[in-house]
Amino acid sequence: MAFVVTDNCIQCKYTDCVEVCPVDCFYEGPNFLVIHPDECIDCALCEPECPANAIYSEDELPDSMQHFFELNEMLAEHWPNLAERKDPLPDAEKWDGVENKLDKLEGLPEDL
Ligand code: SF4
Ligand code: F3S
């Protein structure tokens, strides 16, 4: 079992989540963060820290967001680790709550 970062992180990337993760299993792309499912120890500390409410436990992932599990798994293999909080993206407040931001996702492997 693992926790999963979902759509509302895209274009926000607040990074409050990384500060509490005891195993540093977050990986950073240009405008999204993911959790490596094989490294996550399911401690649940990150979920309440996300101002965008973008983190779900794998077993509580809404049906509409099931594809984010595989996306986290795949991108965590390609992106660098992030272990310290940094500034959110400049337009984070504007994008927070906008639905279906997947088409804005940057840093997919074919772009790398
Ligand atoms: Fe890290 Fe715990 Fe969140 Fe998993 S559930 S990503 S181990 S803080
Ligand atoms: Fe994203 Fe929330 Fe972390 S917006 S970077 S999952 S604090």
Side-chain angles (χ1 to χ4, degrees):
M1 189 109 90
F3 279 66
V4 181
V5 185
T6 64
D7 200 88
N8 204 32
C9 176
I10 297 170
Q11 300 279 65
C12 295
K13 206 169 72 167
Y14 285 110
T15 73
D16 300 67
C17 52
V18 300
E19 202 137 84
V20 297
C21 182
V23 293
D24 294 341
C25 63
F26 282 90
Y27 292 80
E28 184 188 22
N31 63 354
F32 187 45
L33 231 66
V34 293
I35 293 169
H36 198 310
D38 296 339
E39 296 174 5
C40 175
I41 59 169
D42 206 22
C43 71
L45 289 175
C46 58
E47 183 183 359
E49 296 300 320
C50 175
N53 296 316
I55 303 177
Y56 290 82
S57 169
E58 183 184 339
D59 62 356
E60 291 176 354
L61 252 189
D63 284 347
S64 62
M65 294 190 186
Q66 288 294 327
H67 50 300
F68 277 92
F69 181 85
E70 283 184 7
L71 198 59
N72 276 241
E73 188 174 40
M74 185 265 289
L75 293 173
E77 293 289 337
H78 289 277
W79 287 350
N81 188 259
L82 181 72
E84 288 183 9
R85 190 179 185 283
K86 58 201 284 190
D87 287 340
L89 291 176
D91 289 331
E93 281 186 32
K94 182 181 127 197
W95 285 102
D96 191 351
V98 175
E99 293 182 0
N100 301 321
K101 294 184 271 184
L102 201 50
D103 63 340
K104 301 279 184 293
L105 183 62
E106 297 169 13
L108 290 166
E110 59 263 31
D111 301 332
L112 295 174

